Amino acid sequence: VSYRRSKRVHAVDKDFFPDLESVGSSPELKRLQIFGAGPKMSGAVPKLTVSSPPRPQRSNKPASMVQCENTSVESLPSTGDTPKKIELPEEVKAQLQKIESYVCASCSRGDDEEQLLLCDGCEICYHTFCLVPPLPAVPRGDWRCAGCIKKHVSKPKEQFGFEQSQREYTLQTFGDKADRFKSDYFNLPPHMVPCDVVEKEYWRLVNSLEENVVVEYGADLHTLDHGSGFPTEKTRHLLCPSEQEYIESPWNLNNLPVQKNSLLRFVKGEVSGMKVPWTYVGMCFSSFCWHVEDQWAYSINHNHWGEPKTWYGVPSSYAEKFEATIKREAPELFESQPDLMHQLVTIINPTTLMRNGIPVVRTNQHAGEFVVTFPRAYHAGFNQGYNFAEAVNFLTSDWLPLGRKCIDHYRSFRRQCVFSHEELMCEVARHGEELDSNVATIVYKEMLL
């Protein structure tokens, strides 16, 4: 961690202005011209000795004699004209006034300059020994006075999150921007940058306090509005006969949530993002922060095309330890926003998690591959470059106990459920004849609780 000393008032160096006795020992000063209050008197000045105080005479009497080596020159008498007033430059005046105004706001004194602290917020000065409590030494780094701290803590608390882009893109224009960004950043063609190089640079940026890199992410795009990457009945006319089988495929994410063994098919309505897939258009470094799925559901993600996604995952059995660790690492964030882990805005290096005894798995998801996350399994990651993915949720019978536990967890944060767990259980029981024996047994035991 780098520090810088607080700004403070320094005394003006007394040796900065030379006295006349040092003129003779300085070749540069010998070449100076000397101007009095009256007419100009110029010439090369040898070693000088002064017989009277070096102040300009303002009376009509002859000026004092200036004795020089091997010669004597009498300054010209005043002509009686009013001496001209020498005006300092405005910036010099302002600087002098600023220096003179540096006094302690507590004791109204400007001495003990080495102990004067200048607030980095309002530029008010205080002696270290005038503060309450007094400071034993000048602090390192930025320093704020009590007034600035009070203003800061009185501000309304801001929510953490990502800024919404004001620009709209087509896939083509976004892809051009994404490829150009990665090519310029690494000085290589986008597809020639190794995944481990991008990964190392990503975490370097995350850990850096000085560097900022801005990227954009087309996240949570509703397929009902923008279309799916999988074939649907609406796009059947675009497919050749050999491709039409994929419209009904269970691996088609438009179909998977409502398959026979998925309890999500009993949830009424088209729950966007859970029953209806969302699509994601990524560029290099665009991130999805640590989170679990809504109501701790399963999720499945398919990378349709483009560059890989890098994933990190934590087993669900370590979910509570994960939450405790991340709160301990950044307590001030959770004090202002206790439900921060529900906002998808928190990233932490997997190395930090592993140092705290939390196992982390990782993978690079290439085009054409699926990634499945389990209930309450925290996961995060980033995109290696321009790509297009699609994701949806599903529920199996082993999710039911976790689903009920999730309700209690949401209640502690006053968080709204996406769907009613009790209504789901009643709807499943009403269609009991459609369930296989294993699912029916689990549902029966769950309803007895």
Side-chain angles (χ1 to χ4, degrees):
V1 180
S2 60
Y3 297 93
R4 66 178 181 85
R5 292 184 68 84
S6 296
K7 296 180 288 184
R8 61 173 191 266
V9 181
H10 295 280
V12 178
D13 191 351
K14 297 180 180 179
D15 297 330
F16 180 78
F17 301 102
D19 55 17
L20 291 180
E21 292 180 356
S22 64
V23 171
S25 62
S26 173
E28 290 81 2
L29 293 177
K30 284 183 180 181
R31 294 193 291 271
L32 290 176
Q33 291 181 323
I34 301 177
F35 300 95
K40 295 180 182 178
M41 184 175 69
S42 62
V45 182
K47 190 178 294 184
L48 302 177
T49 58
V50 182
S51 59
S52 64
R55 295 182 179 178
Q57 300 297 319
R58 304 185 66 176
S59 66
N60 291 327
K61 294 181 180 180
S64 59
M65 300 290 290
V66 178
Q67 301 296 329
C68 305
E69 278 189 0
N70 304 323
T71 184
S72 65
V73 179
E74 182 176 357
S75 61
L76 295 176
S78 173
T79 60
D81 296 336
T82 303
K84 294 182 179 179
K85 184 178 180 181
I86 300 175
E87 290 289 338
L88 294 175
E90 291 298 326
E91 57 270 17
V92 176
K93 288 183 179 179
Q95 189 66 22
L96 291 174
Q97 291 175 356
K98 189 173 183 180
I99 292 175
E100 292 175 357
S101 66
Y102 285 152
V103 295
C104 176
S106 178
C107 66
S108 301
R109 292 165 52 190
D111 56 353
D112 291 316
E113 293 91 348
E114 290 299 319
Q115 299 301 318
L116 272 176
L117 277 177
L118 186 63
C119 175
D120 288 297
C122 63
E123 297 194 350
I124 292 179
C125 287
Y126 290 92
H127 285 119
T128 55
F129 48 79
C130 289
L131 296 171
V132 181
L135 291 177
V138 174
R140 294 189 297 178
D142 287 350
W143 179 80
R144 298 289 193 276
C145 66
C148 288
I149 295 175
K150 182 179 180 180
K151 289 180 181 179
H152 179 75
V153 299
S154 299
K155 291 180 179 178
K157 296 179 180 178
E158 297 180 357
Q159 297 291 310
F160 300 102
F162 295 100
E163 293 183 10
Q164 186 69 30
S165 175
Q166 300 301 315
R167 179 180 175 184
E168 292 186 358
Y169 296 92
T170 64
L171 275 177
Q172 181 66 43
T173 56
F174 188 84
D176 291 342
K177 176 177 181 175
D179 287 341
R180 184 169 57 253
F181 167 81
K182 186 176 181 181
S183 178
D184 292 345
Y185 193 94
F186 292 99
N187 201 25
L188 283 172
H191 298 85
M192 297 294 291
V193 185
C195 288
D196 58 340
V197 172
V198 178
E199 183 177 24
K200 183 177 180 180
E201 178 65 10
Y202 174 81
W203 289 111
R204 188 191 71 80
L205 291 171
V206 170
N207 294 331
S208 173
L209 298 177
E210 291 80 22
E211 293 186 63
N212 289 317
V213 175
V214 179
V215 296
E216 294 184 276
Y217 192 12
D220 302 343
L221 304 175
H222 298 210
T223 54
L224 293 178
D225 299 328
H226 303 282
S228 170
F230 291 95
T232 62
E233 288 294 340
K234 293 182 179 180
T235 60
R236 180 183 291 273
H237 64 284
L238 302 174
L239 306 175
C240 62
S242 62
E243 296 174 332
Q244 293 187 4
E245 62 177 298
Y246 295 110
I247 296 176
E248 306 297 333
S249 170
W251 286 102
N252 184 327
L253 296 193
N254 294 284
N255 303 325
L256 190 145
V258 293
Q259 290 298 301
K260 180 179 179 181
N261 290 328
S262 173
L263 300 182
L264 202 54
R265 67 190 178 101
F266 297 107
V267 174
K268 296 180 179 179
E270 301 292 339
V271 183
S272 184
M274 291 201 76
K275 287 181 69 176
V276 180
W278 279 350
T279 56
Y280 302 82
V281 186
M283 66 182 292
C284 185
F285 299 144
S286 58
S287 309
F288 49 103
C289 298
W290 288 105
H291 68 287
V292 294
E293 298 299 310
D294 286 334
Q295 300 206 212
W296 299 354
Y298 285 89
S299 77
I300 182 168
N301 184 292
H302 179 68
N303 188 359
H304 285 288
W305 48 257
E307 298 193 57
K309 283 179 179 285
T310 298
W311 290 73
Y312 305 93
V314 173
S316 57
S317 56
Y318 285 84
E320 292 183 2
K321 188 173 183 179
F322 172 91
E323 293 168 355
T325 299
I326 201 167
K327 288 178 182 178
R328 187 168 60 250
E329 290 292 325
E332 68 283 354
L333 300 183
F334 288 87
E335 288 176 4
S336 60
Q337 196 168 346
D339 65 340
L340 189 62
M341 292 308 300
H342 296 285
Q343 307 303 321
L344 280 76
V345 294
T346 309
I347 198 75
I348 186 172
N349 197 310
T351 305
T352 303
L353 299 175
M354 290 187 287
R355 281 201 302 263
N356 286 273
I358 301 172
V360 180
V361 297
R362 70 169 299 285
T363 188
N364 289 325
Q365 179 193 14
H366 295 270
E369 295 180 345
F370 289 91
V371 168
V372 175
T373 68
F374 284 70
R376 212 188 179 184
Y378 276 95
H379 50 281
F382 65 94
N383 295 292
Q384 292 274 342
Y386 178 46
N387 57 23
F388 178 75
E390 192 165 349
V392 79
N393 295 110
F394 63 94
L395 303 176
T396 57
S397 56
D398 64 337
W399 164 85
L400 287 171
L402 283 170
R404 185 174 293 280
K405 188 177 180 180
C406 178
I407 296 174
D408 296 332
H409 179 79
Y410 278 12
R411 186 180 294 114
S412 64
F413 291 99
R414 299 181 180 180
R415 179 175 173 81
Q416 182 115 10
C417 294
V418 178
F419 57 84
S420 169
H421 187 87
E422 288 76 11
E423 183 181 4
L424 170 64
M425 294 301 302
C426 293
E427 195 67 20
V428 171
R430 196 164 67 87
H431 295 83
E433 67 281 357
E434 301 178 16
L435 307 176
D436 62 34
S437 57
N438 292 330
V439 175
T441 301
I442 295 175
V443 171
Y444 176 74
K445 291 180 178 179
E446 183 69 17
M447 294 191 71
L448 293 177
L449 297 177

